[in-house]
Structures are given as C-alpha cells and as structure tokens.
Amino acid sequence: MPSPAYLSDGTWSILAYNHGMAEWWPWVAEPDANLMRWALLSPEARVQYSDWEKHAEVYVRLLKFALASRSGDKALLRLISDVCADPDVDRIWKTHYDLGADRDGHVFHMNVPALGETVEVVSHVLFPASLPECRLVVITWVEGGESNSHSLDALGGVRDAWAERASGVRHDSRDWTRPAEVPRRSASCRTPDEAAALAGSGGVHLPALSRHVGPGVRLTLSPANGSVIWATQESGRWAVAEFNASAVVANFPYTGGPDTTTELDALRRTTLACSRQPAGTKRSQAASRVPKRTARTGVVRQLPQAGSSRKATLAMSHGDPRRGSAQLVADAAG
C-alpha cells in the first residue's frame, strides 16, 4: 500500500486523495470532506489523535495564521465560525494566541482503526508550484522506528516538540533546522566530546551552527562519512543522531553571519566531495536500486476545477509506505 496522501485547498477542503489515505482515514471520501472540520469536530478524531487537545491547539494556530493573511476570505471565516461552535475549540481559540504555518515535519502518534494499532507517523507538507494555494500532504511512518525513550520520537527528536514550539518553549533538537528524516544511526552518550568522537578522527566541530540551533546542541562534521553528528543534551545525557551532510545543508536557513557561512561552506564542500564518483559507478549504483518489477510511470492529469463536485484520487507508484513518500500522481476519478 502506498503512503497515505491528500491534496487540500486553502481552507483545508479535500480535493484529492490516494487509496492509502482512503484506507486509513475513510472520511476523506465523504462529500465536502474538510480536514479542520474532521480534526476539530468529529468524535473519531478525538480518539485517533493521541492527546487530541495538543493537536487541536496546533490546528487553531493554522487557522489563525490563515486569518491573518486572508481576513476577508468568506469561506475561511465560515470555517472558523463552524469549528468555534464547539465549546472546546472555542476555549482554545480564546486562550491561545500563537500562529502556525503548517504541520511539515511533525511526528506524532495516531490510532489507526484500519491497522488495529497506534503508529508513529510523520507529516510532510508540500506546496505545488502550479497550485500555490493548495497543500499536498504525505503521511509516512518508520518501520521499526519507534523510539525506546518516552522523551524522543521515532526520528530521534524531542517528542511533541511541535506542540510547544509556538508557545515560547524551544526544543532545540526539533528546531526547524533539524532534518525531518530517519538518521543513519542514533546513540546516547555521556558527554558532548564522546558524541563528537563518533565523527571520527577528522571530525570538525561546528560551533556557530550549534549556537544558531540553540543551547545544549553540538554539531560535528564528519568529512570522511559525509555526515553530521547532531548531539542534543537531554536529561543529563546527550542524544545523538547522524544525518547526511546534504540533508543538514538543505534544512539550514541562511543566517548571514561570517562564522555560520564558513561552516555551511564546509558542509557544502563535504556534500560535493561525496557526490564526486565516476559516471559508471553512479550508473551501476542507480541500476542496483531499481526494483526488478516494472514500476508504474506516473502521469499527471487535470484536477477538478473549483466548484466541481468530483474528487480526484492520487495514485502512487508501488513502494513500502514505511520507507518514505512515493511518487505522487493525480488521477481524476471518473
């Protein structure tokens, strides 16, 4: 089964979805399906979200963010009025003042009836260039990725950091700069030096980038492995995750400071050095990763126009949903 995925418009109405999404969350196939109405008003959402109140607070942040930029949007105002008719949502609206843009990279538990179990999922939010007012969301989970620690999520970050981020509590290991991907390896060390030693004898400390992420964080570049050792102080020890250097560069915002610029350049050089392989080697490696079975070739077809009652379904190429998002293809339902 492919990773569940859906396409929604600027007011979170469902425009398209794939088979995996319909299997896990059948509500998307209902007429006028809307994420906000389901998440904030339906009884089943309160059962499926672990700690529904935290998630409701995040969705209220998203609504307030949208309202700040589209205060004259009648559909948005009607949506807010509908969800705030619920006493719990109305209380959250009146007592929380933070804003949030999206749920990209959020890791959380959900009780999925179709699976008969609670799984830890990751939300990936994309904004299609041709449909900038829409969101394409892919839900993945990690096979065997459940953390043994109650304080860490499946990706090695602080659990539910997204629930506190906008409230002024900064969880550094789940900062915006941390890659939302499965680390190469994870470990727990007694000291930051012990964690840095995992980078090998040629390890390079990145103090400026470490300070940028926040206190209690130490980043060490491993040129030989093309990776970064990301250590975060947690409860007297150091939680360690190793990420590809390219993933760290891609998720790090431009800071403008000379020290951070120098260290980002070092990361880029490491990334380029790792990519310099003979063309024949690259071709053979690529060929080895192609499944023996023939993969489907995706074709993008026109989505329903605004006001259409039809929903499109998203078809994906075959792949293990626990390994990340597969290629998405919009296939208009007949």
Side-chain angles (χ1 to χ4, degrees):
M1 184 181 72
S3 298
Y6 66 88
L7 181 73
S8 65
D9 64 14
T11 54
W12 292 274
S13 291
I14 304 301
L15 301 178
Y17 55 87
N18 70 348
H19 177 71
M21 186 71 192
E23 284 287 320
W24 281 30
W25 294 286
W27 63 267
V28 297
E30 297 174 359
D32 302 319
N34 182 280
L35 173 66
M36 288 295 177
R37 288 191 170 88
W38 179 81
L40 295 175
L41 300 178
S42 71
E44 64 181 15
R46 302 197 180 202
V47 175
Q48 292 186 30
Y49 282 116
S50 296
D51 200 340
W52 174 85
E53 184 98 0
K54 285 184 178 180
H55 292 274
E57 291 173 6
V58 172
Y59 286 125
V60 165
R61 292 176 201 162
L62 300 187
L63 287 169
K64 290 193 173 188
F65 183 91
L67 181 62
S69 58
R70 294 160 31 217
S71 59
D73 188 325
K74 293 183 179 180
L76 177 61
L77 293 173
R78 184 166 55 252
L79 172 63
I80 293 172
S81 176
D82 290 348
V83 297
C84 286
D86 180 273
D88 292 328
V89 178
D90 185 58
R91 169 180 51 80
I92 294 172
W93 183 276
K94 291 177 178 177
T95 56
H96 291 73
Y97 308 100
D98 299 310
L99 308 181
D102 56 61
R103 300 208 65 177
D104 186 46
H106 287 193
V107 184
F108 51 91
H109 284 103
M110 286 207 74
N111 174 31
V112 183
L115 300 179
E117 62 178 320
T118 298
V119 294
E120 192 158 25
V121 301
V122 186
S123 172
H124 309 269
V125 182
L126 307 172
F127 293 87
S130 59
L131 299 168
E133 73 283 359
C134 296
R135 301 171 184 82
L136 177 60
V137 180
V138 181
I139 306 296
T140 63
W141 79 99
V142 184
E143 185 173 14
E146 185 74 19
S147 172
N148 294 323
S149 169
H150 292 294
S151 62
L152 301 180
D153 60 35
L155 299 186
V158 175
R159 186 173 299 287
D160 295 346
W162 45 266
E164 306 292 344
R165 183 179 292 133
S167 299
V169 179
R170 185 171 184 176
H171 288 288
D172 303 299
S173 67
R174 287 297 299 170
D175 193 67
W176 298 111
T177 54
R178 182 187 171 100
E181 66 169 30
V182 180
R184 291 186 185 180
R185 57 174 170 167
S186 300
S188 178
C189 299
R190 292 171 295 178
T191 67
D193 290 337
E194 182 182 341
L198 296 176
S201 58
V204 179
H205 180 39
L206 305 172
L209 294 180
S210 300
R211 287 193 299 272
H212 179 77
V213 175
V217 174
R218 181 163 178 175
L219 309 183
T220 307
L221 174 63
S222 175
N225 297 324
S227 63
V228 172
I229 301 297
W230 192 300
T232 309
Q233 191 172 22
E234 306 285 354
S235 303
R237 292 185 65 86
W238 288 77
V240 180
E242 182 179 14
F243 295 105
N244 292 327
S246 58
V248 175
V249 171
N251 285 275
F252 231 105
Y254 176 70
T255 59
D259 293 340
T260 53
T261 299
T262 299
E263 293 179 8
L264 284 172
D265 286 343
L267 288 176
R268 295 187 184 100
R269 286 195 297 271
T270 298
T271 300
L272 291 173
C274 291
S275 66
R276 288 173 187 156
Q277 300 177 29
T281 303
K282 290 184 178 181
R283 283 195 298 269
S284 62
Q285 290 178 344
S288 67
R289 291 193 293 268
V290 175
K292 292 183 179 180
R293 62 185 178 186
T294 302
R296 291 198 308 230
T297 300
V299 178
V300 179
R301 297 179 182 172
Q302 187 174 1
L303 292 172
Q305 296 182 355
S308 171
S309 60
R310 293 192 305 161
K311 278 202 186 82
T313 58
L314 294 173
M316 286 182 171
S317 58
H318 292 289
D320 187 342
R322 306 186 184 201
R323 295 297 181 187
S325 57
Q327 180 184 1
L328 292 174
V329 181
D331 185 12

